[in-house]
Amino acid sequence: MDKQTENKKVFLEIVHQLRTLIRIEKIQPGGKLPSERVLCERLGVGRSSVREALRSLELLGLIETKHGGGTFLAATHNHQLVEVLSMFILEDEKSKKDVHITRQIHEKEAISIVSRTVELRALPVWDSLFVKLELEGTIICKDVLREIIIASGNRLALKIWFQLEAYDGAFLSRESTEDGKIHIQTMLKSMQLGYEREALQAYKQWLETLEE
Amino acid sequence: MDKQTENKKVFLEIVHQLRTLIRIEKIQPGGKLPSERVLCERLGVGRSSVREALRSLELLGLIETKHGGGTFLAATHNHQLVEVLSMFILEDEKSKKDVHITRQIHEKEAISIVSRTVELRALPVWDSLFVKLELEGTIICKDVLREIIIASGNRLALKIWFQLEAYDGAFLSRESTEDGKIHIQTMLKSMQLGYEREALQAYKQWLETLEE
DNA sequence: GCATAAAAGTGGTCTGACCACTTTTGGCAC
DNA sequence: GTGCCAAAAGTGGTCAGACCACTTTTATGC
């Protein structure tokens, strides 16, 4: 009833309907949505309009599609959001530096969080990383940072970090130097002991070894 | 021809192309984009695909369309983006909290940056805000924070903050209490003097006056 | 029972058509 | 020439049908 009253665009209305559908049918993240053709019929609209709505949600990272397979509710939220916004926003060199800095902001915060939280400090993953570092020595920077940010428990920050890391990838993908290794170990140990300041200091020193 | 050979989705490619087009043709916010039919021809794709891309960007608030008039680069964006995302994302409390925390991460960082940078500390805007606070007393929290983040010079962080602030809006839009006002003033003054620790402390106390 | 091929289902894209609305154009009266 | 107004052109909004490419399901043959 109320659908007819609105003079708004069909595809926006469909976005609304989809949300209702997902709630009512209790579709879980990762769950399958009705096919495009079924949605057309159910909502009484053309397939193009359904697709415009679906594509919009896809760009937002709210749904995922598998060619020939179906449409699924995204398991993890907004990753494309940042990417697309960035595409329009990040244009000059200054922006590249901003990505770098912003990424580090989240890394520092995660280190602080872990250092300050007893339960997180006690996580076995730190020892594991430490040992791996000891044995192989070829550990990749981003693996360590990723674990720390995951541990910090802020999923949104994790999503943002993933995006930034993707841009900034070349930098982080390098293997650590001998000097760098020491700083990573110091950072991990400090974190485990709850020495926030020292952990951040070691992180900073580690960064310096990367900047050559 | 060539577009089909790519394994990526056409509509995503179009989103990319549009961004390039906007930059090359120097289309200003509020400016007019080529019509859908022109875009089809230029990009060598079907109109449906062009529309899927445009509709996606519209949902993101990056463009606006006028029926019969044309498509325009958004002057001020993120209007329904917020609405739609919140519909889908902000369902569980955890996400809401993550937004909240992530926003504060960027605020804290900006305060630190300004405190540590002589040129930024000397900006006249702080006195201006301080006086405004003195006189009116009805200053809005987000105005202060926005200025600080702008001053910090990281446009990406600013962009992210705008996003988060939009979600988290109800919280930040409140007028500050008497207690809050004192803390804001303390924060500003500490920042100006370069007392990073004190500024962050005041920020924290200010937050406490807002909660509950 | 199982592997494999056929069929059905599904997303991806293009074309053409029609409608509703806006902007531009052209002609008429003054 | 000026000004107004209707016709024409331009543009977004929507739908229907047709293929294609890919995945999932079903049926077949051994």
Side-chain angles (χ1 to χ4, degrees), chain B residues 64-99:
Chain B
E64 291 165 356
T65 51
K66 237 180 14 180
H67 188 178
T71 306
F72 305 83
L73 191 56
T76 56
H77 37 256
N78 321 48
H79 174 254
Q80 29 193 2
L81 163 63
V82 175
E83 193 184 329
V84 175
L85 277 180
S86 49
M87 279 193 329
F88 280 82
I89 295 177
L90 300 183
E91 294 191 338
D92 60 296
E93 281 303 309
K94 176 71 168 68
S95 294
K96 210 175 287 184
K97 200 175 165 196
D98 281 350
V99 172

Side-chain angles (χ1 to χ4, degrees), chain A residues 83-194:
Chain A
E83 184 181 349
V84 173
L85 283 178
S86 307
M87 279 198 330
F88 277 81
I89 295 160
L90 303 180
E91 292 177 347
D92 51 71
E93 277 304 309
K94 172 75 167 65
S95 297
K96 213 173 285 183
K97 198 176 166 195
D98 282 350
V99 172
H100 204 65
I101 292 174
T102 307
R103 183 176 57 72
Q104 288 171 15
I105 291 174
H106 283 98
E107 289 164 1
K108 281 189 295 185
E109 179 66 19
I111 292 171
S112 292
I113 293 284
V114 174
S115 298
R116 285 201 290 255
T117 312
V118 180
E119 301 80 43
L120 300 180
R121 280 159 46 191
L123 250 38
V125 66
W126 313 132
D127 279 329
S128 160
L129 283 171
F130 198 89
V131 169
K132 199 187 286 181
L133 209 53
E134 200 69 43
L135 295 178
E136 308 181 11
T138 59
I139 199 165
I140 300 296
C141 312
K142 64 178 174 187
D143 291 333
V144 176
L145 292 172
R146 187 180 49 239
E147 289 301 331
I148 294 175
I149 293 175
I150 290 174
S152 77
N154 185 334
R155 288 184 300 165
L156 176 58
L158 178 62
K159 287 286 168 260
I160 293 175
W161 182 81
F162 265 125
Q163 276 308 311
L164 301 178
E165 188 272 328
Y167 276 104
D168 214 13
F171 187 80
L172 270 181
S173 294
R174 297 191 210 161
E175 291 183 1
S176 54
T177 62
E178 270 309 303
D179 271 6
K181 203 171 97 175
I182 295 175
H183 291 132
I184 300 177
Q185 291 181 315
T186 306
M187 183 181 77
L188 284 171
K189 267 282 167 277
S190 303
M191 229 175 52
Q192 283 184 297
L193 296 172

Side-chain angles (χ1 to χ4, degrees), chain B residues 181-193:
Chain B
K181 203 171 95 174
I182 295 174
H183 291 132
I184 301 178
Q185 291 182 315
T186 306
M187 182 181 77
L188 283 171
K189 267 281 167 276
S190 304
M191 229 175 53
Q192 282 185 297
L193 296 171

